[in-house]
Amino acid sequence: MDKIPLNYEASEGDTHKQVTSTLPLEVVQCLENARFLHLATCTDNVPHVSLMNYTYLPSSPYSSRPVIVMTTNPASRKTTNIVANSNVSLLVHDWVSHRPPTHGRRPSGGSPGPEHRSSLASLLLNLNSTAMSSISATIGGAARLAPTGSEQEKYFTEKHLENNTFEEGEPLFRQQSNTGEDGRTSHFVAGEEVRVIIVDIKDVRISDWKGTVRDWAFVADSDLVNGGG
């Protein structure tokens, strides 16, 4: 068995840096397959990290950038931090907690298995999916709270609920369970006691298992056409 190399590349965010108007495919697959991410916020030089359910949207009516959607209690520390400082960092990787199938979608990495599998078959499928993953992605972005009661909040809430309603099993952590008319269990907090967080992606760093680091700065298509970046 080959040993994992102990390479190390230090930089200030410009290692092999590229400018792109679309996220690298391996980052998209990572975001679609992973079940949780770590959200880092900061205010007054005090950092705070939270484990979050999330939804990745490549496009939306409310943003020219790909966005990541999360929900939080309005009294949470992350909410307070985002109001004071919109700069956030996200860490996502999919080789530890592989996302189970949700209603109407399949993970983009690996071949879908049969609807009804034995425990052994499920284990082997998860191991196979895990073996295919070899990167972690650190995403820099600007976070904002959807206006309470707005159409924007309604749109992102529906997308987030759809993405986090699982057909089999239960997420490892949740805030509240709601059972829909079709009998599926959703793990989501809806109503006045929830704020919707939208993160516009600005840059991405990929680190692979060999220690190689690559950086991308995300810009809109119009900026590339006009010579920006």
Side-chain angles (χ1 to χ4, degrees):
M1 180 177 180
D2 294 336
K3 293 182 178 180
I4 297 176
L6 299 179
N7 296 344
Y8 176 75
E9 293 185 271
S11 78
E12 293 296 327
D14 57 359
T15 302
H16 317 298
K17 190 171 187 177
Q18 302 179 50
V19 176
T20 181
S21 62
T22 58
L23 288 181
L25 178 60
E26 55 196 322
V27 175
V28 173
Q29 290 178 333
C30 188
L31 285 167
E32 290 181 347
N33 288 343
R35 192 166 179 178
F36 306 114
L37 59 72
H38 291 85
L39 166 68
T41 61
C42 185
T43 187
D44 297 327
N45 294 321
V46 179
H48 177 70
V49 178
S50 302
L51 182 66
M52 304 289 291
N53 285 108
Y54 71 94
T55 294
Y56 164 71
L57 297 176
S59 62
S60 77
Y62 301 97
S63 176
S64 60
R65 298 175 179 268
V67 298
I68 294 173
V69 180
M70 296 165 280
T71 55
T72 183
N73 187 299
S76 68
R77 184 181 301 179
K78 69 182 74 67
T79 303
T80 302
N81 287 357
I82 288 171
V83 170
N85 180 2
S86 64
N87 294 313
V88 299
S89 184
L90 312 172
L91 175 63
V92 59
H93 49 82
D94 62 343
W95 63 79
V96 175
S97 55
H98 195 77
R99 177 179 286 275
T102 57
H103 178 55
R105 70 175 287 277
R106 287 289 182 183
S108 59
S111 300
E115 287 299 321
H116 300 286
R117 298 183 298 268
S118 67
S119 297
L120 178 58
S122 297
L123 175 61
L124 292 175
L125 176 64
N126 288 335
L127 288 175
N128 181 59
S129 300
T130 299
M132 295 179 64
S133 306
S134 59
I135 70 161
S136 66
T138 302
I139 299 171
R144 51 194 168 91
L145 300 175
T148 301
S150 65
E151 288 299 313
Q152 180 181 174
E153 182 183 60
K154 180 181 178 182
Y155 171 85
F156 286 119
T157 297
E158 289 176 351
K159 292 295 184 181
H160 190 45
L161 176 59
E162 177 185 343
N163 191 56
N164 287 281
T165 300
F166 300 101
E167 293 183 340
E168 298 180 17
E170 294 187 352
L172 296 179
F173 92 125
R174 67 189 182 192
Q175 292 174 294
Q176 181 175 315
S177 296
N178 299 312
T179 301
E181 294 179 356
D182 58 1
R184 293 187 177 91
T185 301
S186 61
H187 300 272
F188 186 81
V189 182
E192 296 180 357
E193 294 305 315
V194 160
R195 295 302 304 271
V196 176
I197 302 171
I198 305 110
V199 177
D200 294 299
I201 297 174
K202 298 194 296 184
D203 53 69
V204 179
R205 162 169 287 193
I206 294 176
S207 302
D208 66 21
W209 69 278
K210 296 181 180 179
T212 303
V213 176
R214 290 164 289 159
D215 290 297
W216 279 267
F218 186 88
V219 298
D221 285 319
S222 58
D223 292 333
L224 287 178
V225 172
N226 296 327

